[in-house]
Amino acid sequence: MIPAKLIEKKRDGFELSAEEIEWFVEGTVENKIDDCQLSAMLMAIYFNGMSDSETFSLVSSMINSGEKFKFNNFGKYVADKHSTGGIGDKISFILSPILSSLGIIVPMIAGRGLAYTGGTIDKLESIPNFQTSINVKNFKIQIQNIGCGIISQSSEICPADKKIYSIRDLTGTIPSMPLICSSIMSKKIAEGLDGLIMDIKVGNGAFMKTISEAKTLATELKKIGSAFEIKTDITFSNMSQPLGRYAGLGCEIIESINCLKGDGPNDLIELSLELGSKILLQSKKANNENEAKKKMLKTIDDGSALKKFEEMIIAQGGNFEQLQMSQSNIKNELYICSDRGGYISSMDTEKIGWALVEMGCGRRRDKDPLDFTAGIRFNVKVGETVKKGEKVYTLFGENIKKLESAKSMLHKTFKVSSETILKPKLILS
Ligand code: URA
């Protein structure tokens, strides 16, 4: 087959066969397809979409590009949560230890930052020496020993997603239904899951800007889940403002640890409980949502979830004390203050995400270095009051030039109203 011919076929709106898709994906992994050809194919898919059978072939080829875990011999329910991406979303660090300390196996494969959204793997790598590309054999041993772990796609597991994901990040081809579905579901199916809870983010900081787009994505994800015999539940959550009080890299790990110590912001706890309760119901570890949430809160109260997260950090080589030290010694802080008093009525979350990329929390180009110390504290959020001159955002990090440039992007990213504004609902359905 000739790569350019397949690109032309997709560009002109024709359907690719299963063999053609498999050949293209294999070629991508074996470096027989150039990055420019992969980019062109992704753009053709972005504009023309894919039929159900094309999407299924893409998912299968992406799974088959690497190994697939099998944990069902452990006799425990194997489950995971995945989100479609947002700003300040650190739920994975809170939820996996909670679920794992309740006897669920959580073998998470996650990704790096995509466009303006933060990446689970980039955040974890802010913990000095934390290993995100563990080989399959050692990861299985870790899961057997402690029940949870978070790794990235690698040459062994989901290599096709690793490559396609990084090219999508750089080429404006992220918000495409078949590309999102195949990226998410290939990773989740490779994990050998019994059950999955999908957190579909909706709003101005999400890839799905409207609930109707989010519902279409939900239908597609559920179709793939059921074809691969994974119980798939969906939650729609509001991403029209950042989640939690912090967004960035190391600061999100610290905020997650605080949550596990029982000292986290309400929105993080609310969403973690909502998502986790679906897994406890699927696995029959709880009979109703109330019971599920109580069980989860108990793992925070008795310290077992925190202990599990610490075990995971140690198992993956990380040094949490060093992260704490570097976060408490950050040199620079800049502020964005309100020029009037009132209620914060909205935030431009996507722009905030791009400012975070500018600060070094994400990449514009493949080799861009990250600044693990950088982040933003949201001192006030939608529905809260602010006084004239009060700090709305605190920007921090090692590189003052980058902070200044991010600051100039952030000026018009929130609105203040003199009318009372209610706190927006976090769980949309
Ligand atoms: N998460 C993924 O893993 N892939 C996407 O395309 C979007 C969110």
Side-chain angles (χ1 to χ4, degrees), residues 326-327 329-334 359-361 371-376 394-403:
S326 61
Q327 286 291 314
N329 289 330
I330 295 171
K331 285 201 277 287
N332 309 297
E333 272 192 5
L334 297 180
M359 289 164 71
C361 301
D371 180 355
F372 293 123
T373 63
I376 302 177
T394 304
L395 286 65
F396 49 88
E398 287 302 310
N399 187 326
I400 188 70
K401 282 218 169 83
K402 285 191 171 181
L403 292 194

Side-chain angles (χ1 to χ4, degrees), residues 277-382:
S277 64
K278 299 286 191 304
I279 296 293
L280 294 187
L281 290 177
Q282 280 180 3
S283 61
K284 307 217 172 359
K285 294 242 176 226
N287 296 313
N288 55 57
E289 252 183 51
N290 221 359
E291 186 193 339
K293 290 180 181 174
K294 272 194 187 148
K295 284 190 168 182
M296 294 169 75
L297 279 173
K298 187 163 178 286
T299 69
I300 295 182
D301 290 345
D302 67 15
S304 53
L306 178 64
K307 186 163 171 277
K308 190 59 81 179
F309 193 52
E310 285 167 353
E311 280 171 12
M312 189 189 96
I313 293 179
I314 293 167
Q316 296 193 223
N319 185 331
F320 180 66
E321 282 73 35
Q322 260 186 39
L323 170 70
Q324 270 177 318
M325 236 152 50
S326 61
Q327 286 291 314
S328 54
N329 289 330
I330 295 171
K331 285 201 277 287
N332 309 297
E333 272 192 5
L334 297 180
Y335 310 105
I336 304 273
C337 300
S338 180
D339 58 6
R340 53 188 291 205
Y343 287 83
I344 302 283
S345 59
S346 66
M347 286 181 161
D348 186 337
T349 319
E350 179 173 333
K351 268 207 190 134
I352 295 172
W354 283 119
L356 284 157
V357 172
E358 180 64 25
M359 289 164 71
C361 301
R363 299 171 190 79
R364 292 158 189 261
R365 304 187 54 210
D366 198 19
K367 298 280 179 296
D368 280 353
L370 297 179
D371 180 355
F372 293 123
T373 63
I376 302 177
R377 180 179 151 82
F378 305 96
N379 302 307
V380 203
K381 292 182 59 178
V382 177

Side-chain angles (χ1 to χ4, degrees), residues 82-85 111 114 161 165 168 174 179-181 183-184 187 207:
H82 200 86
S83 118
T84 52
L114 262 189
D161 184 54
Y165 191 98
R168 283 171 62 215
I174 295 161
L179 296 180
I180 293 178
C181 285
S183 166
I184 294 176
K187 288 193 282 291
F207 297 127

Side-chain angles (χ1 to χ4, degrees), residues 1-9 23-24 32-34 37 41:
M1 287 188 221
I2 298 170
K5 286 282 160 208
L6 298 189
I7 298 165
E8 281 171 21
K9 190 172 173 187
W23 183 86
F24 201 91
K32 291 181 184 151
I33 304 283
D34 290 335
Q37 292 173 316
M41 177 61 96

Side-chain angles (χ1 to χ4, degrees), residues 87-90 242-248 251-252 255 258 265 375-378 396:
I87 316 298
D89 180 8
K90 50 200 77 73
L243 196 54
R245 288 284 166 188
Y246 288 87
C251 60
E252 292 202 32
E255 191 176 34
N258 289 339
I376 302 177
R377 180 179 151 82
F378 305 96
F396 49 88

